[in-house]
Amino acid sequence: MIELGLARINRLLREKHLPWGAIHVAGTNGKGSICAYISAMLHAGHVSCGRFTSPHLIDRWDCITIQEKVVPRSLFQHVESITKQRNEEECIGASEFEILTATAFDIFTHEGIDIGVVEVGLGGRLDATNVLKEPLVTVISKIGKDHQSLLGNTLEDIAYQKAGILKRGVACVLDDTNSESVRTVIANYARQIGAGPIIGAAHHHANQVARIWETLSRGDYEEHQKANIYCAFQALRIALEHKHPDIDPWILVSALQDVQWPGRLQTISIKRLTGRVDGVLIDGAHNAQSARILGSFVDRRLRQTGQNVTWVLAASQGKAIRDILCPLIKPDDHVVAVEFGTVDGMPWVQPAAATEILENIKEKSGSGLRMSAFKDVMGALSWATETAAGGPLVVAGSLYLVSDVMRLFGEIEDGAGHIIRGDQSL
């Protein structure tokens, strides 16, 4: 189960005063991408850096990187075992995520990193990562409705929880595509605790924005990706001012051209799984806001010839399934619903029944729509490959489904623990 609060993580951490500087990133959508962008630029600047994001993609330890490489399994398991022993001996009763967070932070300390890029797990105010007392900078990405049972039913309620990562005297970078009401909540909270300044409003920094896109002119970025990149650059700039004022952040922007955040608008090949020649789009869109972005992308990029789309969909229990499906499914699309497998280290995450997903689609069905349901991902991919017959095919609805698809390829670890994922990306 999910238990929010900071008492347990404070007891669990080996080092009460962390020796590395932190960039702390909260939000509903985009925060993982922002973390990836920041750490890529830090690495390009030869700054010793770590990154902690969640959830993991394939293995529990692949959510922790040092110098852009996944930590070795042996190191992860060694530090995790020490953390678990401390939890048991001191009767702390820490949750799985609190143990994972403490493990990540202790690995950062063990490896002697200079800057850690840390993604909030859930919410912000009571999230285990909010044990970070003096971050270099905080970042709040796009806020939408997700986890309402824990964070509140309105955007303003959720924004208040996210704003909880702000700290007195610490600048906050805010995605200014957020609604005015969200920005107001965060600004008011910042004033109350003496945080700030709030760095946002990209249109007030037009020269900076133009310079970023001049450097990244070869990239084909969606609007939400542009907002994430701008937030990442501003966070990097502020962090370097504190830790490495001798490094010019502008020379690091070009490193973003090579960043691919797995499972987000990613095209992969499943040829050796199902024989399909054409690429498959995978995206972990799992709430209404991210589904709207994915739906818009599919409409512009994959429906140009008027073809219907074949979808492989899953969802977690408790999600607003209809809100996720509405921006995606058209009347004559084809849909196969599937249930993702057990999520290692996250026993509270359970898949929604495939039949429940289909029930939410039936009202949108047209005369050409075909639907099916599978318990296993391989069966769903095979059905989708045959049904799509070379037409557009998209896997979406859950990062855990994306993980299951990735896992089908197997993986190879190099000596440093970096996962090499074969031929998935096109």
Side-chain angles (χ1 to χ4, degrees):
M1 62 180 294
I2 298 175
E3 296 181 79
L4 298 177
L6 299 177
R8 294 179 297 273
I9 187 68
N10 272 303
R11 295 176 59 194
L12 194 60
L13 275 176
R14 184 181 64 190
E15 298 285 346
K16 304 306 179 186
H17 300 286
L18 300 173
W20 40 273
I23 299 174
H24 200 191
V25 184
T28 305
N29 295 305
K31 58 186 186 294
S33 297
I34 290 172
C35 289
Y37 291 141
I38 295 171
S39 63
M41 289 187 285
L42 287 171
H43 182 63
H46 305 289
V47 176
S48 177
C49 64
R51 185 178 74 231
F52 174 47
T53 56
S54 60
H56 62 273
L57 188 61
I58 294 176
D59 298 307
R60 283 186 301 120
W61 53 90
D62 70 31
C63 62
I64 306 169
T65 68
I66 302 290
Q67 301 298 74
E68 294 296 87
K69 290 189 175 183
V70 174
V71 297
R73 175 171 52 185
S74 58
L75 173 61
F76 172 83
Q77 291 177 336
H78 172 68
V79 177
E80 182 190 45
S81 67
I82 295 172
T83 305
K84 286 182 173 180
Q85 183 178 356
R86 188 181 309 121
N87 181 51
E88 292 175 3
E89 290 178 349
E90 299 183 21
C91 300
I92 296 172
S95 68
E96 288 89 346
F97 184 72
E98 288 163 345
I99 290 172
L100 180 62
T101 300
T103 298
F105 288 6
D106 284 347
I107 287 175
F108 286 176
T109 300
H110 178 274
E111 294 298 293
I113 67 162
D114 196 13
I115 296 178
V117 184
V118 178
E119 177 187 5
V120 166
L122 193 155
R125 185 171 65 92
L126 297 176
D127 185 72
T129 64
N130 206 27
V131 72
L132 298 167
K133 300 302 183 187
E134 297 178 346
L136 302 171
V137 60
T138 60
V139 184
I140 297 182
S141 67
K142 188 77 173 206
I143 291 176
K145 290 186 177 181
D146 204 357
H147 303 291
Q148 289 97 312
S149 62
L150 294 167
L151 303 180
N153 291 318
T154 69
L155 287 179
E156 294 74 24
D157 289 339
I158 296 170
Y160 177 78
Q161 296 298 324
K162 307 290 185 183
I165 70 165
L166 272 62
K167 300 294 185 292
R168 182 177 181 83
V170 176
C172 174
V173 177
L174 173 63
D175 182 338
D176 69 332
T177 67
N178 277 298
S179 66
E180 182 178 356
S181 62
V182 164
R183 299 197 305 272
T184 298
V185 168
I186 294 169
N188 287 342
Y189 186 85
R191 279 194 294 271
Q192 290 171 13
I193 69 167
I198 303 293
I199 310 297
H203 60 276
H204 291 319
H205 301 87
N207 291 336
Q208 288 186 0
V209 173
R211 189 172 175 183
I212 290 173
W213 300 125
E214 182 179 347
T215 303
L216 301 177
S217 58
R218 289 192 290 113
D220 185 12
Y221 297 100
E222 298 294 309
E223 289 304 311
H224 72 284
Q225 292 171 321
K226 291 180 178 180
N228 292 338
I229 286 172
Y230 181 76
C231 286
F233 174 77
Q234 292 293 356
L236 172 80
R237 179 183 61 79
I238 295 167
L240 290 180
E241 286 176 357
H242 287 288
K243 297 285 284 186
H244 294 280
D246 56 314
I247 298 178
D248 180 1
W250 288 106
I251 67 174
L252 307 179
V253 173
S254 60
L256 298 177
Q257 295 175 130
D258 300 320
V259 175
Q260 168 67 66
W261 191 227
R264 281 76 168 180
L265 296 182
Q266 182 182 7
T267 300
I268 66 170
S269 169
I270 61 171
K271 184 176 181 180
R272 67 185 175 95
L273 291 178
T274 70
R276 177 181 167 90
V277 175
D278 299 278
V280 174
L281 179 68
I282 60 172
D283 190 89
H286 57 281
N287 53 52
Q289 187 181 85
S290 57
R292 286 193 294 272
I293 292 171
L294 174 59
S296 175
F297 181 88
V298 169
D299 289 348
R300 287 183 287 105
R301 302 292 185 95
L302 302 185
R303 297 188 189 273
Q304 295 171 329
T305 61
Q307 290 179 293
N308 54 8
V309 174
T310 299
W311 298 87
V312 179
L313 298 174
S316 297
Q317 286 183 9
K319 292 289 185 179
I321 295 176
R322 188 166 299 181
D323 292 343
I324 297 171
L325 298 177
C326 187
L328 303 180
I329 311 300
K330 304 295 184 185
D332 290 323
D333 284 351
H334 305 312
V335 178
V336 55
V338 66
E339 298 170 19
F340 56 77
T342 302
V343 183
D344 189 18
M346 303 176 73
W348 61 88
V349 176
Q350 296 294 323
T355 51
E356 180 186 357
I357 295 173
L358 295 184
E359 284 297 324
N360 280 276
I361 294 172
K362 284 181 179 178
E363 65 183 43
K364 295 195 69 173
S365 62
S367 58
L369 181 138
R370 294 176 60 190
M371 294 190 298
S372 187
F374 282 82
K375 289 282 188 180
D376 67 294
V377 175
M378 188 63 230
L381 290 175
S382 297
W383 184 92
T385 295
E386 180 179 351
T387 302
L393 198 165
V394 183
V395 177
S398 169
L399 281 169
Y400 308 115
L401 173 60
V402 168
S403 296
D404 280 355
V405 172
M406 293 288 196
R407 201 170 285 113
L408 288 173
F409 291 93
E411 67 274 1
I412 302 171
E413 277 192 8
D414 68 16
H418 183 49
I419 292 178
I420 305 170
R421 296 191 176 92
D423 65 351
Q424 295 134 285
S425 295
L426 292 177

